[in-house]
Amino acid sequence: MFRLLIVAQLLLVLPIVKNWLYVATYRLYVEDRIDPSPQDGMVWQQFNIQDKRVVPQILTEGNARLKFSARFAYSSTLWIAGTSTGRAAYQIYLLENGSRRLLSQRLMEGQHLDRIALPPCNGILEISSHGSVVWSDLRVVHGWASAPYLVALGIALLASLVLLRKSKSQPRPDAAGQLKVPLFMGASIAGSCLLTVLLLEAAMQLFGPPGAIRALRRDLGEVAPDPQWEDSTRFGSRLRRNQNTVLQWRGGGDIVRMGFIPPAALSSAPGRYSLRTDAEGFRNTRVRAAIHVAALGDSFTDGLTLPIEQIWTTRLEQNLGLPVQNYGTAGFGPQQELRVLRDYAIQHHPRVVLLAFFAGNDIFDAERFDKYERSEGSITLSKTGWNIKKVVARYETFYLFSLVRLALNTLETRASNQEAEGTKVADSVDQNAERPGIPAESLPGFDRGMFIIPVNTRTLRFALMPPYLQTLTFSEAALEKRSGWQLTRRTILEMNSVSHESGATLVVLFIPFKSQVYFPLLERSFGSEDLERDFQFYFRQQPAGVDLKEMSQNRLAQNNMMRRLCEDEHILLIDPTAALQAEVEAGRNTYFPDDSHWNAAGHELAANTIAAFLKSHGLDQNKE
């Protein structure tokens, strides 16, 4: 009987442990809400990096309603964490079998945290919000019933204790001797294994896991420390100096990685290529005492999405036959680029200072860095995260589970990694090539964020970056009123002054964002209703819809603003928007299909355009 009780206890412990490990977190995302209507106020989703973790946030304005499917066989808990601007309120309802049951209601001002019990249900969970609120990581934590197993385990343990007491009063040496050794050995082995597992997990929790495990846990919202980057009080995050390492790209471009379109919309092959930085911390093979062109900019200039031989600064140097030094850094805005000019570039006496202005976010980056400067570095520059896993079981959060995943992934991908040692091609699936035997689509289409448009004998496939597409809703007047444009304008004038004082000529390179270049092709390829419906995929957080006419009128707003500024201040301007647009309308992608950056063809076109411009203005000659 005692042996049977021991076996029964082991069998009862297994489901208890299983149920504990399988407690799941269900994140509530805007894209999963049920039946949104234009009367539901303003609702949108964003992902921010806070304290080295990605935090999903839902922002609501006015009277907004969020409805989610709620199907849980056992009791669950809704976690509410919100921050209001001013006074706000919310109510939580459960809609089930035609009834509407109030679970909770609260007034809130500032930060608020609440946990609301959800009964077993098969209906709809409704969150009604009033005011301006940022909801951080709304989620339902759902477990499985373990109470019956715990009761049974308690009864079995009690019965074992009773039998042990009886065995002491009436000893049976033969039975006790047979049971003692295997019980001791089994308990020792099980205890040693359990202790080893717990110590390993505790060590990784305390000291941090290896970088490879952190990188694997992106879908859990963990931000792995990137040894290729460092934080500085003067610039914010920037590339480390004197690197000679490898970049590995896999799983699609930034539009996919940030969760705006699903990975299945386009498959991108992995790629590996070298990353080298010079002693000043920029993407060059070395620091040169004298240079002809100093290229300032952000990710379009450092070109981390391509091998260095394919980016426009390298191709420009080959075209001119003169040294071009790359001073671009992803994430930099105008003020940081001015600091780069003063701290580094101007010391090398360039003939040309080439500022790459990116219309997608430079105005907004200027506002962001201004707040950073005003805080004297006491606040961190906010970083955008990515869409993280919606349903996570507790066992997936342990580092040991990730360690096993890493080992299995290493075995599975070793062969593919060896094949991927070559250079990443501009479009992993060659979107520009004419493929014999595969006819181009006859009609334009749209698939989960990816436009498919037949052009000539080719088929263009591309997705748009929603935040940049939304910039088309700003008119020239609205943009000119923003503090970011005033900061950008003032910064460019300072750059012009610094350049002239050193005998250099400032040239502004206007870099349009992808939507500006592809918008005319979209207008011609789709009817207004179809295009509005497709754009709604990108603006699904805003049920009010989009105004195509307004977006079309605003397409070149920043081009016109920069042109007027340069004309007024006698600054040279290069605007390749029309040239990029012509390539696209000829059936050749100039941006990666699933990314917001130029592909190799876009970089080559930019380099050729810049070289022709500099030669036409006599700026391809050294200073006399």
Side-chain angles (χ1 to χ4, degrees), residues 266-267 427-441 452-461 587 589:
L266 183 75
S267 176
D427 290 327
S428 302
V429 179
D430 190 354
Q431 304 295 331
N432 296 333
E434 298 181 38
R435 291 169 285 172
I438 303 179
E441 278 81 353
I452 304 102
I453 301 179
V455 182
N456 297 330
T457 57
R458 301 181 176 93
T459 298
L460 283 184
R461 292 173 172 83
N589 265 327

Side-chain angles (χ1 to χ4, degrees), residues 589-611:
N589 265 327
T590 51
Y591 295 71
F592 285 109
D594 56 349
D595 196 279
S596 60
H597 295 89
W598 284 335
N599 59 17
H603 277 267
E604 183 176 10
L605 184 147
N608 293 340
T609 303
I610 297 166

Side-chain angles (χ1 to χ4, degrees), residues 33 37-39 41-43 536 539-547:
R33 62 178 171 157
S37 67
Q39 289 74 39
M42 185 66 76
V43 180
Q536 198 59 51
F539 294 145
R540 53 191 181 272
Q541 303 94 336
Q542 302 176 28
V546 297
D547 187 336

Side-chain angles (χ1 to χ4, degrees), residues 292 320 322 351-352 611 614-622:
H292 188 80
L320 295 177
L322 296 166
R351 173 73 172 88
V352 177
L614 296 181
K615 290 175 181 178
S616 68
H617 286 76
L619 295 175
D620 60 331
Q621 303 297 322
N622 288 318

Side-chain angles (χ1 to χ4, degrees), residues 38-254:
Q39 289 74 39
D40 282 351
M42 185 66 76
V43 180
W44 65 97
Q45 181 93 49
Q46 66 182 24
F47 298 85
N48 286 330
I49 295 177
Q50 298 178 355
D51 298 327
K52 299 182 179 181
R53 294 192 65 86
V54 176
V55 177
Q57 294 181 329
I58 297 176
L59 290 77
T60 57
E61 293 280 355
N63 296 319
R65 288 184 302 171
L66 298 168
K67 293 182 180 180
F68 301 98
S69 175
R71 294 183 174 88
F72 301 111
Y74 305 104
S75 297
S76 307
T77 304
L78 172 65
W79 290 52
I80 294 282
T83 303
S84 66
T85 302
R87 293 179 63 85
Y90 69 86
Q91 299 88 33
I92 310 296
Y93 297 95
L94 179 62
L95 285 64
E96 191 176 22
N97 299 323
S99 64
R100 193 165 184 259
R101 174 183 172 188
L102 178 65
L103 300 180
S104 177
Q105 59 180 343
R106 294 284 191 277
L107 293 175
M108 59 188 300
E109 187 168 2
Q111 293 184 340
H112 177 78
L113 178 65
D114 198 3
R115 297 182 184 180
I116 300 166
L118 298 179
C121 54
N122 183 8
I124 295 174
L125 181 67
E126 179 184 305
I127 303 173
S128 293
S129 171
H130 314 281
S132 178
V133 185
V134 177
W135 307 97
S136 294
D137 202 4
L138 277 178
R139 61 196 187 274
V140 174
V141 178
H142 171 60
W144 281 261
S146 295
Y149 299 102
L150 288 171
V151 171
L153 180 62
I155 294 173
L157 285 171
L158 183 62
S160 299
L161 290 174
V162 171
L163 286 177
L164 281 174
R165 295 189 67 175
K166 286 185 177 180
S167 66
K168 287 182 179 179
S169 60
Q170 299 177 357
R172 296 177 59 186
D174 55 335
Q178 293 175 9
L179 188 61
K180 184 176 180 180
V181 173
L183 274 178
F184 177 77
M185 291 182 60
S188 298
I189 294 172
S192 299
C193 293
L194 181 61
L195 182 61
T196 301
V197 167
L198 292 176
L199 287 175
L200 185 58
E201 178 68 27
M204 287 192 286
Q205 292 281 354
L206 182 62
F207 301 106
I213 290 181
R214 285 198 179 276
L216 187 68
R217 292 162 65 92
R218 275 178 60 93
D219 58 351
L220 298 181
E222 293 193 12
V223 180
D226 193 338
Q228 297 163 347
W229 292 79
E230 65 182 8
D231 291 326
S232 69
T233 55
R234 183 160 175 78
F235 294 97
S237 184
R238 59 168 302 182
L239 286 167
R240 291 187 183 275
R241 298 167 175 82
N242 298 313
Q243 292 189 76
N244 188 3
T245 183
V246 174
L247 278 176
Q248 175 89 35
W249 290 88
R250 61 172 71 245
D254 57 3

